[in-house]
Every structure is written in C-alpha cells, then in structure tokens.
Amino acid sequence: MKIDRFRIKKIMAEKRISTQSELAKMMGISKNQLSNILSDKYDPIKSNVRELAQFLNVEVGEILVNELQNKGKE
C-alpha cells in the first residue's frame, strides 16, 4: 500500500494547507513521521493511512496509489 503524494498535495492545496510541516502540526505528528508516511520507500500502516484520510476528509482509496496502474508503467 502506497500513498499518492501528488494527490495529497492537491488535497492540501484545496484545503489551503501550504506545507507538509503545517499538515503534520495540524495532525499532531512530527514532520519526519509525515515524511515517512508519504515516502515511496515506506509502507505505511493502515491506521496511519486511515488517520491521514480522515483528517483530510477524504476516502482512503482517494489517497492510495493504484498498484495496477503502476505495474503497467514499469
């Protein structure tokens, strides 16, 4: 499971959240924690994904990368 960082940035812009630091502070986590959650090298736990989606007021599926689409790009 990977989070779509580009979708997160779009949602942040829609909600007028300008930086990841600001989002992390609003969520009550460190910027490093948020960076890890959004990293391509990190496989976030479901609770982190749910918490991020819930905070941004979107469905979990809206912030996940579609693994099937990515396989076609390799």
Side-chain angles (χ1 to χ4, degrees):
M1 170 181 359
K2 300 289 182 198
I3 294 179
D4 186 338
R5 292 180 318 204
F6 299 105
R7 179 72 179 127
I8 295 296
K9 288 181 182 183
K10 182 180 178 189
I11 295 168
M12 286 172 58
E14 291 169 358
K15 298 189 178 291
R16 299 191 191 322
I17 302 170
S18 55
T19 65
Q20 286 185 11
S21 295
E22 183 181 351
L23 176 59
K25 185 176 181 179
M26 293 169 75
M27 292 181 66
I29 61 175
S30 72
K31 183 183 181 304
N32 286 342
Q33 286 175 294
L34 182 58
S35 292
N36 285 337
I37 292 169
L38 299 178
S39 171
D40 284 338
K41 297 175 184 168
Y42 182 79
D43 196 11
I45 58 175
K46 290 179 185 178
S47 62
N48 287 343
V49 175
R50 272 195 305 263
E51 183 180 343
L52 180 60
Q54 198 170 33
F55 183 83
L56 294 172
N57 199 29
V58 297
E59 296 294 322
V60 170
E62 291 182 59
I63 62 171
L64 295 178
V65 171
N66 184 334
E67 299 282 330
L68 295 176
Q69 286 179 342
N70 283 347
K71 286 184 182 179
K73 294 179 182 177
E74 294 175 355

